[in-house]
Amino acid sequence: MTDEESADPTEDLPADGDGDRPAPTDEPFSIATFHEASQHVGRPVLTAASVADALEYSQAVATERLEALAEAGDLQRLSVSTDPVVWYPTELEDLTDRERVVVFPKRREIVVDRPDQFTRAQLSQFAHLEDANGEESYRYVVRPADVWQAPHDSFADLQRTMRQALDQRSDPLEEWVRSQWDRAHQFRLTTHEDGYTVLEGDNPEVMGNVARQKLDEEHVHAPISETEDWVREGAEAAIKRILYEAGYPVQDHRDLESGEDLAIALEVSLREYQRTWVDRFAERGEGVFVGPPGSGKTVAAMGAMAHVGGETLVLVPSRDLARQWNDTILEYTSLEAHQVGQYHGGQKHVRPVTIATYQIAGMDRHRSLFDDREWGLVVFDECQHVPSDVYRRSTRLQSRHRLGLSASPIREDDRQTEIFTLVGPPIGTDWQALFDAGFVAEPELEIRYVPWDDEEQRNAYSSAEGRERYRIAAENRGKIDEVRYLLSAHPDGKALIFVDYLEQGRELADALEVPFLSGETPHHERRRLLEAFRRDERDLLIVSRVGDEGIDLPTADLAIVASGLGGSRRQGTQRAGRTMRPAGGALVYVLATRGTREEDFARRQLQHLGRKGMTVREETVDSEQVTEHDGDR
């Protein structure tokens, strides 16, 4: 064949009305090509013009190729009023009848319609659930951290899980995942035969270009070889954090203390997903149990304690939680009272299982008490606090096993990755799976936009600036009437009312003649009120920010958030989550002053819960409605 005969046959063809664009006729065009165009455009239903634009064809050639795929049965066509014809894959026709997975490798996104629990469980091993729309559609994103933390011993195992979950092979996505897997195995912390810690790199290049560029004399003493550095004592956590942020997570292979043996038997049966959490923790020796309130993270942690079978230190944010941990351990395990101690401002007992506050554990004058004991397991409860400067000190207590617990490991300062570098990778089940299985009841969540009570407050808001504006909107006195209305609409419910400001809490307490539980409430009085609520001797409490995580609030049928969701996404999760228990029918109302920054804050923070699969409604309360509310009481 001559050069002339092998030339592109489309070189001298007319452009078919598309300017100078060539019209290729011999390039392969298959359903995979259509999917490539679909990914480029960002939707599964395309016109010939959009295919031509995505693939740089002429529209005439694109139409010809689409017609051919339609004749082969791979595509369907549909005439619509806005365009002569649209095209979509035949497989979309039975979308309502079966699970369907669509992979967008360039964006590293996976969209799954009607996934079964097996698929969701497989996806959770290498992807992050970004959005969920009930049972209909789930959107997963594969982030570097998801690959770094995948619970697999080899890339081949991870690859097998991906193909099972996707029911297909996606070479571009697999290549990217392989590159991230390799990054996650470049560095290791090991223990030298003389007892000190060594940082190892896979090769001299990565050691010199990454580790020795990022670390300094605060972290390492000196090089031992081209691929090894001698680590300063106590710098291990900082090294893991720095290299993680550089995109190179560190494998921790140190010979850490396992503590004295301690026989612990769990005297309650774990749910299937809790057993999965414990199994994944057992594989790695570290991790963070992530699940909604009511999913049993504390009981699962006791399953991890039983697996480790060693002396355990539990770190908590407050003495109230320390007391509750103490009671729960004695109730659900074989341990006896003399084996469990609390160490905080009220008590100071170090025992085989010790429950201490983060603040005490981080203080230099108490550190030796914890350092002198070899802990087999350290549990970081409410571990979203760990990156804060006060709490981070406690992470120097590096045992062989580390476990964190959190309903929502989110930080508004975007330092949540430090949680996983200092404690361990996330281990959890997507919220929708727990809703579907009936382990946790999905509450009905509604934002109610409340009008101003009077012109004085409205004018004060208009003239204020910054945080003061938000405080005035939060303390809108019109919310008192709305709380009264909601309580009267649910006369048989046990209710918790949350506030962010002490003055608002006091006003509500006076108006409703009920106790207000805040940080100013003495510990003994706080305990008495909560126990009365648990025993159904009280059906209403007003709770300040102290109730978000420092104490274990009893289950409620009704939660009214009078103010506070503008604070953080984590706060929204904690407060809405107070109604998430196996019993159904729970309601959460969020009150926001209409037309203010509080309205925007509430909507934005609750989008976080919407992405976890919860349904969020919105309702505007008008002035006439408020008058009707008053008349109904």
Side-chain angles (χ1 to χ4, degrees):
M1 181 181 291
T2 66
D3 290 342
E4 288 79 4
E5 290 172 327
S6 63
D8 184 354
T10 66
E11 276 187 346
D12 298 321
L13 293 179
D16 293 319
D18 288 323
D20 295 329
R21 176 179 295 171
T25 57
D26 57 354
E27 294 179 4
F29 190 94
S30 64
I31 187 64
T33 313
F34 183 89
H35 283 311
E36 182 183 342
S38 175
Q39 177 180 317
H40 177 83
V41 177
R43 59 177 183 268
V45 180
L46 305 177
T47 64
S50 58
V51 171
D53 183 65
L55 301 177
E56 297 185 351
Y57 288 0
S58 70
Q59 186 165 341
V61 169
T63 301
E64 177 186 336
R65 301 295 175 83
L66 293 168
E67 292 280 3
L69 283 183
E71 290 177 9
D74 292 328
L75 289 182
Q76 298 293 322
R77 75 189 81 193
L78 177 67
S79 296
V80 294
S81 58
T82 56
D83 197 279
V85 178
V86 294
W87 307 83
Y88 59 92
T90 300
E91 61 187 18
L92 286 182
E93 288 203 317
D94 58 357
L95 175 62
T96 59
D97 300 323
R98 65 177 178 88
E99 174 183 290
R100 188 178 72 98
V101 180
V102 179
V103 181
F104 298 94
K106 290 183 180 178
R107 300 202 302 264
R108 301 192 294 278
E109 290 187 5
I110 303 163
V111 177
V112 192
D113 292 301
R114 297 183 176 274
D116 59 28
Q117 289 196 17
F118 172 80
T119 299
R120 296 213 303 265
Q122 296 294 89
L123 285 167
S124 70
Q125 296 185 46
F126 64 90
H128 169 71
L129 178 62
E130 188 72 18
D131 290 293
N133 179 21
E135 299 179 2
E136 297 299 322
S137 181
Y138 292 70
R139 184 169 68 89
Y140 290 84
V141 177
V142 186
R143 306 167 302 180
D146 301 315
V147 180
W148 300 345
Q149 298 151 2
H152 295 282
D153 294 327
S154 68
F155 175 73
D157 292 340
L158 173 56
Q159 187 180 52
R160 189 178 306 112
T161 296
M162 289 179 63
R163 292 178 181 178
Q164 288 176 341
L166 305 180
D167 196 28
Q168 60 186 278
R169 177 172 174 166
S170 174
D171 289 338
L173 182 60
E174 287 186 11
E175 289 173 9
W176 181 85
V177 169
R178 178 59 184 263
S179 70
Q180 294 301 319
W181 175 271
D182 290 342
R183 289 176 76 96
H185 294 80
Q186 296 286 315
F187 292 105
R188 293 166 299 282
L189 286 174
T190 62
T191 302
H192 192 272
E193 60 182 13
D194 292 334
Y196 57 83
T197 301
V198 174
L199 174 67
E200 296 181 354
D202 249 16
N203 54 67
E205 288 72 23
V206 75
M207 197 69 188
N209 295 332
V210 179
R212 289 170 182 162
Q213 295 295 322
K214 298 291 183 181
L215 305 176
D216 54 33
E217 63 273 8
E218 293 183 11
H219 309 107
V220 294
H221 287 287
I224 301 173
S225 71
E226 288 186 327
T227 59
E228 297 173 305
D229 278 359
W230 177 9
V231 174
R232 288 189 180 275
E233 184 178 358
E236 294 88 353
I239 288 172
K240 289 197 288 185
R241 185 181 69 254
I242 291 168
L243 292 182
Y244 187 99
E245 291 172 350
Y248 291 87
V250 178
Q251 302 291 310
D252 197 339
H253 296 164
R254 287 176 292 163
D255 297 330
L256 294 169
E257 301 296 345
S258 55
E260 295 292 328
D261 290 343
L262 180 65
I264 303 174
L266 194 62
E267 298 183 343
V268 63
S269 296
L270 294 178
R271 298 165 179 167
E272 182 179 354
Y273 68 86
Q274 291 171 318
R275 286 196 299 273
T276 300
W277 292 358
V278 174
D279 289 345
R280 290 183 62 179
F281 166 78
E283 291 173 3
R284 301 186 61 108
E286 60 181 14
V288 177
F289 288 167
V290 179
S295 57
K297 296 183 293 296
T298 302
V299 173
M302 292 174 196
M305 290 169 58
H307 165 77
V308 171
E311 297 193 345
T312 300
L313 173 65
V314 180
L315 297 174
V316 297
S318 71
R319 67 171 69 178
D320 284 310
L321 267 182
R323 177 182 58 81
Q324 289 153 21
W325 262 90
N326 184 91
D327 295 346
T328 307
I329 287 172
L330 295 179
E331 180 178 358
Y332 291 119
T333 75
S334 60
L335 295 174
E336 299 180 2
H338 70 275
Q339 296 175 292
V340 183
Q342 299 178 52
Y343 199 99
H344 47 68
Q347 302 181 39
K348 290 184 173 60
H349 304 294
V350 178
R351 291 176 180 162
V353 172
T354 299
I355 308 148
T357 59
Y358 285 100
Q359 293 89 335
I360 288 287
M363 291 181 181
D364 291 337
R365 66 176 182 271
H366 298 290
R367 280 282 308 282
S368 62
L369 292 170
F370 301 109
D371 289 343
D372 291 346
R373 200 161 195 133
E374 297 177 353
W375 302 105
L377 170 66
V378 178
V379 178
F380 301 86
D381 195 11
E382 303 289 357
C383 67
Q384 63 272 6
H385 294 295
V386 162
S388 68
D389 294 334
V390 172
Y391 286 36
R392 187 190 290 178
R393 290 184 180 183
S394 62
T395 60
R396 293 189 63 182
L397 296 164
Q398 294 282 294
S399 69
R400 180 182 296 274
H401 301 94
R402 296 180 301 280
L403 175 65
L405 309 180
S406 181
S408 186
I410 294 170
R411 293 181 59 86
E412 302 308 308
D413 57 9
D414 292 326
R415 292 168 68 185
Q416 55 262 28
T417 56
E418 294 189 27
I419 299 168
F420 307 130
T421 60
L422 297 171
V423 181
I427 299 170
T429 305
D430 70 72
W431 290 31
Q432 189 64 47
L434 299 182
F435 296 154
D436 293 346
F439 290 122
V440 179
E442 178 184 356
E444 296 181 37
L445 190 57
E446 181 173 290
I447 309 175
R448 297 180 68 83
Y449 302 115
V450 181
W452 288 102
D453 177 65
D454 55 48
E455 287 300 316
E456 179 184 352
Q457 279 193 308
R458 185 202 300 267
N459 293 336
Y461 175 83
S462 299
S463 59
E465 296 181 356
R467 295 181 62 86
E468 181 66 10
R469 298 194 87 196
Y470 180 78
R471 185 191 64 78
I472 294 171
E475 294 183 333
N476 174 14
R477 285 186 290 271
K479 293 180 180 181
I480 297 177
D481 286 338
E482 187 62 22
V483 169
R484 282 201 182 102
Y485 166 72
L486 292 173
L487 292 174
S488 66
H490 306 284
D492 299 325
K494 291 179 64 176
L496 293 171
I497 302 172
F498 293 97
V499 297
D500 228 22
Y501 298 94
L502 293 177
E503 186 59 36
Q504 182 187 30
R506 297 186 189 106
E507 286 187 4
L508 274 167
D510 291 342
L512 302 175
E513 298 181 347
V514 295
F516 174 38
L517 194 156
S518 72
E520 297 178 349
T521 309
H523 285 281
H524 69 276
E525 177 67 6
R526 191 184 303 177
R527 189 177 306 124
R528 185 187 68 79
L529 291 172
L530 293 173
E531 286 301 321
F533 194 93
R534 288 189 181 93
R535 293 194 300 265
D536 295 331
E537 295 170 6
R538 285 193 173 276
D539 59 8
L540 178 61
L541 285 176
I542 301 170
V543 183
S544 75
R545 188 189 291 259
V546 72
D548 291 336
E549 49 199 31
I551 58 177
D552 181 19
L553 285 176
T555 303
D557 310 307
L558 176 67
I560 301 174
V561 183
S563 64
L565 276 185
S568 70
R569 289 167 289 171
R570 187 184 73 247
Q571 194 173 61
T573 301
Q574 293 284 354
R575 292 185 169 181
R578 293 307 176 187
T579 63
M580 292 185 195
R581 295 297 186 268
L587 300 166
V588 180
Y589 293 103
V590 177
L591 307 186
T593 300
R594 193 173 68 214
T596 68
R597 291 179 60 197
E598 188 185 38
E599 177 179 328
D600 298 330
F601 278 137
R603 185 181 292 112
R604 189 183 317 134
Q605 306 301 18
L606 291 179
Q607 284 175 353
H608 171 62
L609 294 175
R611 287 194 294 270
K612 288 182 175 293
M614 294 177 60
T615 302
V616 181
R617 299 192 305 268
E618 299 180 62
E619 182 72 28
T620 298
V621 180
D622 57 33
S623 302
E624 290 76 13
Q625 196 171 344
V626 172
T627 304
E628 291 174 7
H629 293 177
D630 290 335
D632 290 339
R633 294 185 198 110

